[in-house]
Short mmCIF file of all heavy atoms in Angstrom, two decimals:
data_model
loop_
_atom_site.label_atom_id
_atom_site.label_comp_id
_atom_site.label_asym_id
_atom_site.label_seq_id
_atom_site.Cartn_x
_atom_site.Cartn_y
_atom_site.Cartn_z
N PHE A 221 55.87 -88.22 -37.76
CA PHE A 221 55.17 -87.02 -37.45
C PHE A 221 54.05 -86.80 -38.53
O PHE A 221 53.51 -85.74 -38.73
CB PHE A 221 55.97 -85.85 -37.21
CG PHE A 221 56.77 -85.94 -36.03
CD1 PHE A 221 58.14 -86.48 -36.12
CD2 PHE A 221 56.43 -85.63 -34.74
CE1 PHE A 221 58.94 -86.67 -35.03
CE2 PHE A 221 57.21 -85.78 -33.68
CZ PHE A 221 58.44 -86.33 -33.71
N THR A 222 53.79 -87.84 -39.36
CA THR A 222 52.83 -87.72 -40.39
C THR A 222 51.56 -88.52 -39.98
O THR A 222 51.59 -89.65 -39.84
CB THR A 222 53.44 -88.29 -41.75
OG1 THR A 222 54.58 -87.71 -42.10
CG2 THR A 222 52.35 -88.17 -42.86
N ARG A 223 50.47 -87.76 -39.85
CA ARG A 223 49.29 -88.42 -39.25
C ARG A 223 48.21 -88.79 -40.21
O ARG A 223 47.32 -89.54 -39.84
CB ARG A 223 48.69 -87.54 -38.21
CG ARG A 223 48.08 -86.17 -38.73
CD ARG A 223 47.55 -85.33 -37.56
NE ARG A 223 46.94 -84.15 -38.11
CZ ARG A 223 46.48 -83.14 -37.32
NH1 ARG A 223 46.53 -83.27 -35.97
NH2 ARG A 223 45.93 -82.12 -37.81
N VAL A 224 48.28 -88.39 -41.46
CA VAL A 224 47.32 -88.76 -42.46
C VAL A 224 47.75 -90.10 -43.16
O VAL A 224 48.84 -90.19 -43.67
CB VAL A 224 47.19 -87.65 -43.52
CG1 VAL A 224 46.26 -88.04 -44.71
CG2 VAL A 224 46.61 -86.35 -42.93
N LEU A 225 46.77 -91.01 -43.13
CA LEU A 225 47.13 -92.30 -43.61
C LEU A 225 47.58 -92.33 -45.11
O LEU A 225 48.58 -93.01 -45.52
CB LEU A 225 45.97 -93.27 -43.48
CG LEU A 225 46.06 -94.66 -44.08
CD1 LEU A 225 47.21 -95.44 -43.37
CD2 LEU A 225 44.71 -95.42 -44.03
N ALA A 226 46.86 -91.55 -45.97
CA ALA A 226 47.23 -91.55 -47.43
C ALA A 226 48.59 -91.03 -47.59
O ALA A 226 49.43 -91.55 -48.40
CB ALA A 226 46.19 -90.73 -48.08
N ALA A 227 49.00 -90.00 -46.81
CA ALA A 227 50.38 -89.44 -46.94
C ALA A 227 51.43 -90.50 -46.46
O ALA A 227 52.46 -90.61 -47.05
CB ALA A 227 50.47 -88.21 -46.06
N ARG A 228 51.08 -91.23 -45.46
CA ARG A 228 52.04 -92.26 -44.91
C ARG A 228 52.17 -93.31 -45.91
O ARG A 228 53.35 -93.83 -46.21
CB ARG A 228 51.58 -92.84 -43.56
CG ARG A 228 51.68 -91.87 -42.40
CD ARG A 228 51.65 -92.57 -41.06
NE ARG A 228 50.48 -93.47 -40.97
CZ ARG A 228 49.30 -93.01 -40.38
NH1 ARG A 228 49.18 -91.71 -40.05
NH2 ARG A 228 48.31 -93.88 -40.25
N LEU A 229 51.10 -93.74 -46.63
CA LEU A 229 51.19 -94.83 -47.58
C LEU A 229 52.07 -94.39 -48.80
O LEU A 229 52.86 -95.21 -49.29
CB LEU A 229 49.82 -95.27 -48.05
CG LEU A 229 48.96 -95.96 -47.02
CD1 LEU A 229 47.59 -96.23 -47.60
CD2 LEU A 229 49.56 -97.26 -46.51
N VAL A 230 51.97 -93.12 -49.10
CA VAL A 230 52.74 -92.65 -50.31
C VAL A 230 54.26 -92.70 -49.85
O VAL A 230 55.13 -93.12 -50.62
CB VAL A 230 52.28 -91.21 -50.64
CG1 VAL A 230 53.33 -90.61 -51.64
CG2 VAL A 230 51.00 -91.33 -51.30
N LEU A 231 54.51 -92.17 -48.63
CA LEU A 231 55.90 -92.17 -48.21
C LEU A 231 56.47 -93.58 -47.96
O LEU A 231 57.62 -93.82 -48.31
CB LEU A 231 55.94 -91.41 -46.88
CG LEU A 231 55.76 -89.85 -46.95
CD1 LEU A 231 55.71 -89.18 -45.55
CD2 LEU A 231 56.80 -89.22 -47.83
N TYR A 232 55.63 -94.51 -47.57
CA TYR A 232 56.13 -95.94 -47.45
C TYR A 232 56.49 -96.44 -48.80
O TYR A 232 57.61 -97.07 -48.98
CB TYR A 232 55.00 -96.80 -46.96
CG TYR A 232 54.55 -96.66 -45.50
CD1 TYR A 232 53.25 -96.91 -45.12
CD2 TYR A 232 55.49 -96.10 -44.52
CE1 TYR A 232 52.90 -96.71 -43.83
CE2 TYR A 232 55.05 -95.91 -43.24
CZ TYR A 232 53.75 -96.22 -42.87
OH TYR A 232 53.37 -96.04 -41.55
N ALA A 233 55.71 -96.15 -49.83
CA ALA A 233 55.98 -96.64 -51.18
C ALA A 233 57.26 -96.04 -51.74
O ALA A 233 58.17 -96.73 -52.24
CB ALA A 233 54.82 -96.37 -52.16
N ILE A 234 57.43 -94.71 -51.50
CA ILE A 234 58.62 -93.97 -51.98
C ILE A 234 59.85 -94.52 -51.32
O ILE A 234 60.90 -94.84 -51.96
CB ILE A 234 58.50 -92.49 -51.73
CG1 ILE A 234 57.42 -91.91 -52.63
CG2 ILE A 234 59.80 -91.76 -51.94
CD1 ILE A 234 57.09 -90.38 -52.35
N ALA A 235 59.82 -94.65 -49.93
CA ALA A 235 60.97 -95.11 -49.24
C ALA A 235 61.35 -96.59 -49.62
O ALA A 235 62.60 -96.90 -49.71
CB ALA A 235 60.67 -95.05 -47.70
N ALA A 236 60.34 -97.47 -49.63
CA ALA A 236 60.66 -98.82 -50.05
C ALA A 236 61.29 -98.87 -51.40
O ALA A 236 62.31 -99.63 -51.59
CB ALA A 236 59.33 -99.66 -50.05
N ALA A 237 60.83 -98.18 -52.41
CA ALA A 237 61.43 -98.16 -53.70
C ALA A 237 62.81 -97.63 -53.76
O ALA A 237 63.73 -98.12 -54.33
CB ALA A 237 60.51 -97.32 -54.69
N ALA A 238 63.04 -96.48 -52.98
CA ALA A 238 64.34 -95.87 -52.96
C ALA A 238 65.34 -96.81 -52.30
O ALA A 238 66.51 -96.89 -52.72
CB ALA A 238 64.25 -94.54 -52.30
N LEU A 239 65.06 -97.42 -51.22
CA LEU A 239 65.92 -98.35 -50.46
C LEU A 239 66.18 -99.52 -51.30
O LEU A 239 67.26 -100.13 -51.23
CB LEU A 239 65.36 -98.61 -49.07
CG LEU A 239 65.49 -97.48 -48.08
CD1 LEU A 239 64.65 -97.83 -46.83
CD2 LEU A 239 66.90 -97.13 -47.74
N PHE A 240 65.17 -100.02 -52.03
CA PHE A 240 65.41 -101.17 -52.93
C PHE A 240 66.47 -100.87 -53.99
O PHE A 240 67.34 -101.66 -54.24
CB PHE A 240 64.09 -101.56 -53.63
CG PHE A 240 64.20 -102.63 -54.67
CD1 PHE A 240 64.21 -103.91 -54.41
CD2 PHE A 240 64.38 -102.19 -55.97
CE1 PHE A 240 64.34 -104.89 -55.37
CE2 PHE A 240 64.52 -103.14 -56.97
CZ PHE A 240 64.52 -104.54 -56.62
N LEU A 241 66.34 -99.69 -54.59
CA LEU A 241 67.26 -99.23 -55.62
C LEU A 241 68.67 -99.03 -55.04
O LEU A 241 69.70 -99.20 -55.64
CB LEU A 241 66.86 -98.01 -56.25
CG LEU A 241 65.55 -98.17 -57.20
CD1 LEU A 241 65.03 -96.80 -57.66
CD2 LEU A 241 65.87 -99.18 -58.32
N ASN A 242 68.63 -98.51 -53.69
CA ASN A 242 69.97 -98.26 -53.05
C ASN A 242 70.71 -99.58 -52.83
O ASN A 242 71.90 -99.73 -52.91
CB ASN A 242 69.69 -97.60 -51.74
CG ASN A 242 70.88 -97.56 -50.79
OD1 ASN A 242 71.07 -98.41 -50.00
ND2 ASN A 242 71.81 -96.61 -51.02
N GLY A 243 69.94 -100.66 -52.57
CA GLY A 243 70.51 -102.00 -52.35
C GLY A 243 71.00 -102.39 -50.99
O GLY A 243 71.62 -103.41 -50.80
N ALA A 244 70.83 -101.50 -50.06
CA ALA A 244 71.17 -101.82 -48.64
C ALA A 244 70.11 -102.71 -47.99
O ALA A 244 69.04 -102.23 -47.59
CB ALA A 244 71.38 -100.57 -47.83
N ARG A 245 70.40 -103.94 -47.90
CA ARG A 245 69.36 -104.91 -47.52
C ARG A 245 68.88 -104.75 -46.09
O ARG A 245 67.75 -104.84 -45.75
CB ARG A 245 69.88 -106.40 -47.83
CG ARG A 245 69.99 -106.65 -49.24
CD ARG A 245 71.01 -107.66 -49.48
NE ARG A 245 72.36 -107.24 -49.14
CZ ARG A 245 73.47 -107.91 -49.40
NH1 ARG A 245 73.47 -109.04 -49.98
NH2 ARG A 245 74.66 -107.34 -49.00
N SER A 246 69.84 -104.54 -45.20
CA SER A 246 69.59 -104.41 -43.81
C SER A 246 68.62 -103.22 -43.50
O SER A 246 67.65 -103.26 -42.77
CB SER A 246 70.85 -104.35 -42.96
OG SER A 246 71.65 -105.40 -43.10
N GLU A 247 68.98 -102.03 -44.16
CA GLU A 247 68.22 -100.85 -43.99
C GLU A 247 66.75 -100.97 -44.65
O GLU A 247 65.80 -100.45 -44.06
CB GLU A 247 68.97 -99.69 -44.52
CG GLU A 247 70.07 -99.16 -43.69
CD GLU A 247 71.33 -100.01 -43.81
OE1 GLU A 247 71.36 -100.94 -44.63
OE2 GLU A 247 72.35 -99.75 -43.07
N LEU A 248 66.76 -101.69 -45.75
CA LEU A 248 65.48 -101.92 -46.37
C LEU A 248 64.53 -102.75 -45.48
O LEU A 248 63.34 -102.43 -45.26
CB LEU A 248 65.66 -102.63 -47.75
CG LEU A 248 64.35 -103.10 -48.44
CD1 LEU A 248 63.45 -101.89 -48.73
CD2 LEU A 248 64.65 -103.88 -49.71
N VAL A 249 65.07 -103.85 -44.93
CA VAL A 249 64.30 -104.71 -44.02
C VAL A 249 63.91 -103.95 -42.83
O VAL A 249 62.73 -104.04 -42.30
CB VAL A 249 65.07 -105.94 -43.67
CG1 VAL A 249 64.40 -106.71 -42.56
CG2 VAL A 249 65.31 -106.80 -44.91
N ALA A 250 64.74 -103.09 -42.29
CA ALA A 250 64.40 -102.29 -41.17
C ALA A 250 63.28 -101.30 -41.41
O ALA A 250 62.34 -101.21 -40.53
CB ALA A 250 65.68 -101.50 -40.64
N ALA A 251 63.30 -100.74 -42.61
CA ALA A 251 62.23 -99.78 -42.93
C ALA A 251 60.96 -100.52 -43.11
O ALA A 251 59.87 -100.10 -42.64
CB ALA A 251 62.63 -99.00 -44.11
N LEU A 252 60.99 -101.68 -43.80
CA LEU A 252 59.78 -102.45 -43.98
C LEU A 252 59.16 -102.93 -42.68
O LEU A 252 58.00 -102.92 -42.53
CB LEU A 252 60.11 -103.61 -44.88
CG LEU A 252 60.47 -103.34 -46.32
CD1 LEU A 252 60.76 -104.61 -47.11
CD2 LEU A 252 59.27 -102.65 -47.02
N THR A 253 60.04 -103.17 -41.71
CA THR A 253 59.56 -103.60 -40.39
C THR A 253 58.86 -102.52 -39.72
O THR A 253 57.90 -102.76 -38.92
CB THR A 253 60.74 -104.07 -39.52
OG1 THR A 253 61.43 -105.17 -40.20
CG2 THR A 253 60.27 -104.59 -38.17
N LEU A 254 59.20 -101.23 -39.86
CA LEU A 254 58.55 -100.10 -39.34
C LEU A 254 57.13 -99.88 -39.75
O LEU A 254 56.32 -99.40 -39.03
CB LEU A 254 59.40 -98.87 -39.57
CG LEU A 254 60.65 -98.59 -38.75
CD1 LEU A 254 61.20 -97.19 -39.10
CD2 LEU A 254 60.46 -98.75 -37.35
N PHE A 255 56.91 -100.20 -41.00
CA PHE A 255 55.54 -99.84 -41.56
C PHE A 255 54.38 -100.36 -40.67
O PHE A 255 53.51 -99.61 -40.26
CB PHE A 255 55.38 -100.41 -43.02
CG PHE A 255 56.40 -99.85 -43.98
CD1 PHE A 255 56.51 -100.25 -45.28
CD2 PHE A 255 57.23 -98.69 -43.56
CE1 PHE A 255 57.37 -99.77 -46.18
CE2 PHE A 255 58.11 -98.18 -44.50
CZ PHE A 255 58.28 -98.76 -45.76
N PRO A 256 54.33 -101.71 -40.34
CA PRO A 256 53.25 -102.20 -39.50
C PRO A 256 53.36 -101.64 -38.08
O PRO A 256 52.34 -101.44 -37.45
CB PRO A 256 53.38 -103.69 -39.55
CG PRO A 256 54.81 -103.94 -40.00
CD PRO A 256 55.15 -102.78 -40.84
N ILE A 257 54.54 -101.36 -37.58
CA ILE A 257 54.70 -100.86 -36.21
C ILE A 257 54.08 -99.44 -36.14
O ILE A 257 53.28 -99.25 -35.21
CB ILE A 257 56.17 -100.83 -35.81
CG1 ILE A 257 56.76 -102.16 -35.62
CG2 ILE A 257 56.40 -100.01 -34.57
CD1 ILE A 257 58.31 -102.22 -35.32
N ILE A 258 54.36 -98.61 -37.13
CA ILE A 258 53.78 -97.24 -37.18
C ILE A 258 52.27 -97.35 -37.25
O ILE A 258 51.54 -96.57 -36.53
CB ILE A 258 54.41 -96.44 -38.18
CG1 ILE A 258 55.91 -96.18 -37.92
CG2 ILE A 258 53.73 -95.10 -38.47
CD1 ILE A 258 56.70 -95.53 -39.03
#
Side-chain angles (χ1 to χ4, degrees):
F221 296 93
T222 303
R223 66 182 183 185
V224 174
L225 175 63
R228 290 199 302 272
L229 291 177
V230 170
L231 290 175
Y232 292 152
I234 291 173
L239 288 169
F240 173 84
L241 292 173
N242 169 266
R245 292 153 295 187
S246 301
E247 285 76 8
L248 173 61
V249 171
L252 294 176
T253 302
L254 283 187
F255 299 171
I257 291 174
I258 291 171

